[in-house]
Amino acid sequence: MLVFKFGGASVKDANGLVNLANVVKRYEGSQLLIVVSAMGKTTNALEKLTKAYVNHEDDRDVIFEDIKKYHYAIIEQLFEPSHSIFDEVANTFVEIDWIIEDEPQDDYNFIYDQIVSIGELVSTRIVNAYLNKTGVKSHWLDVRGYIHTDNTYREGVVQWDKTSTSINQDIPGFLQKGIVVTQGFLGGTSENFTTTLGREGSDYTASIFASCLGAESVTTWKDVPGILNADPKFFSDTIKFDELSYTEAIEMTYYGASVIHPKTIKPLQNAKIPLLVKPFSHPDAPGTIIKEDGVNLFVKPIIILKQNQLLLSISAKDYSFISENHLSEIFALFAKNQVKINMMQTSALSFTVCLDLYEERFKKLLHELGQNFKAKYNENLSLITLRHYSSASLKELTDGKTILLEQISRNTVQLVVKM
Ligand code: ASP
Ligand code: MG
């Protein structure tokens, strides 16, 4: 069996859905499970809605209306007005109405997952209905009954044994009857609450299904020709890799290459399932294949850019040296507040870390650090990671930039810069 993942960009408009159906039809006769993300930028919009709801902001209803309008505009182009999808979509969005008519009381991350998950619940309803309409027999699956997680909201930890048992109980039977369409990014807790697996987590969902079902391969369909050495939005003259090893792909995603979610590769590597990254608009093109014996040809270095970074410098209130005791206290606070460290460095009097800026989590962390430490920070920075670099490529990249922090190892350079 095969697992396909279609990201938000692939299902951002009516044309995308038409193309999705065409891609799927090329694989007629194969057993196929399709993982779909929220349409276009819906997850960002739902994040905004969650914030607006929790903070009692005025534009809450406008944000929600826009999200609905965007989806209705797409289905109006694809279905006749009497089609049941209109009710299905309305019934899915109404879950948000139920949440926001009450005062926000629960934990922010919990509310976030209950609202943001609607993006995938709606997109998969639409994809499923559209496939059926075009004659592809497909079955809508609520992933929350199959991918079981703990209750770490926004970062659900997958309970693999339970997940594998549930998946293997039902999915092989469903696949015999037609295509299975399900939500990326979501999971369910033992109390039947919705969790999410971390932003851009749909790739990980595809990998979970593939590894539990022993798929032949996973294909993620993207709006790029395959895995490139750098993001073409920021760098020119990029090159595509035909092949990569699992290990190199893991390293790339670890440093922030956004082409694949970082948790995706390991389960596939363990189960020896290749991952194909293919262009959605040219389904015949080979794309990139990631596999155990993938040959890494670094004609150009890999450049990974992470924007919106923050450099946080922590020192003891009494100006004492940064000790192991301090560090263990600091790390415990990072872990507790789910703040991930992208790069770190210690000096005698301070411990410096580079972070993604997640406002809510950062505020809490700062507050808690403030009890025993002094903390200073710098915003609007970028973290550049260069793998398999040469001195020429390093010079080209750093010319004219202010470097605030730098770490160099044999294969990898990391730089925090002000652009
Ligand atoms: N829709 C989710 C997000 O945008 C998950 C995904 O796209 O993979 O983060
Ligand atoms: Mg997305």
Side-chain angles (χ1 to χ4, degrees), residues 3 43 105 116 121 124 264 293 298 301 328 334 397 400:
V3 177
T43 306
Q105 257 146 20
V116 167
L121 291 167
T124 48
T264 309
D293 55 357
F298 301 115
S328 74
F334 274 78
L397 203 66

Side-chain angles (χ1 to χ4, degrees), residues 27-48:
Y27 292 84
E28 237 177 286
S30 308
Q31 292 199 347
L32 193 58
L33 181 136
I34 304 181
V35 172
V36 184
S37 302
M39 296 172 126
K41 303 263 178 248
T42 300
T43 306
N44 291 349
L46 288 165
E47 274 189 350
K48 265 202 201 142

Side-chain angles (χ1 to χ4, degrees), residues 42 69 71 123 171 181 292 299 305 321 355 388 393 402:
T42 300
K69 272 191 216 146
H71 286 83
S123 70
I171 314 280
V181 174
E292 190 63 56
V299 181
L305 174 70
F321 288 152
L355 315 166
H388 315 287
S393 57
T402 312

